[in-house]
């Protein structure tokens, strides 16, 4: 199965004072867990967690899910007050 990987930084959305939990990381993890449950072959690998307010994750999903996977990730994040931005050239290891 061919896959695609992208790296994102998850933080509290600016328009949202709070999500479901006190820390942005907790809400980001909840969004990722829901997203992985919505499609076969989806993985979220945590690369960095900083002070409960920022989570950097490499998400991987099957190529055939394409736009559906990215759309569902967006919806899962929005429902928990989480913003995500693409991160280029995250240090390996």
């Amino acid at each position: 199965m061919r896959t695609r990987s992208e790296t994102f930084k998850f933080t509290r959305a600016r328009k949202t004072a709070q999500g479901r939990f006190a820390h942005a990381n907790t809400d980001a993890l909840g969004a990722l867990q829901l997203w992985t449950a919505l499609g076969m072959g989806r993985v979220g690998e945590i690369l960095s967690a900083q002070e409960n307010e920022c989570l950097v994750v490499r998400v991987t999903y099957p190529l055939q899910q394409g736009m559906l996977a990215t759309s569902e990730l967006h919806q899962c994040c929005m429902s928990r007050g989480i913003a995500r931005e693409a991160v280029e050239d995250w240090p390996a290891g």
Side-chain angles (χ1 to χ4, degrees), residues 2-54:
R2 294 183 59 202
T3 61
R4 178 174 176 156
S5 293
E6 299 177 82
T7 302
F8 294 105
K9 177 180 175 181
F10 295 85
T11 57
R12 178 70 62 213
R14 293 177 193 243
K15 293 181 180 180
T16 306
Q18 291 189 43
R20 293 180 178 191
F21 296 98
H23 300 293
N25 284 358
T26 306
D27 284 325
L29 285 172
L32 285 166
Q33 288 174 340
L34 176 58
W35 178 77
T36 58
L38 290 173
M40 293 286 291
R42 294 181 184 183
V43 177
E45 175 189 357
I46 298 171
L47 304 177
S48 176
Q50 302 171 355
E51 300 179 22
N52 296 318
E53 298 305 319
C54 169

Side-chain angles (χ1 to χ4, degrees), residues 44-84:
E45 175 189 357
I46 298 171
L47 304 177
S48 176
Q50 302 171 355
E51 300 179 22
N52 296 318
E53 298 305 319
C54 169
L55 194 67
V56 179
V57 176
R58 179 179 300 119
V59 298
T60 303
Y61 54 90
L63 275 177
Q64 68 264 25
Q65 291 182 19
M67 290 182 63
L68 176 63
T70 56
S71 175
E72 288 178 343
L73 180 57
H74 177 73
Q75 291 301 317
C76 290
C77 289
M78 284 188 57
S79 71
R80 286 167 173 74
I82 296 296
R84 68 180 168 89

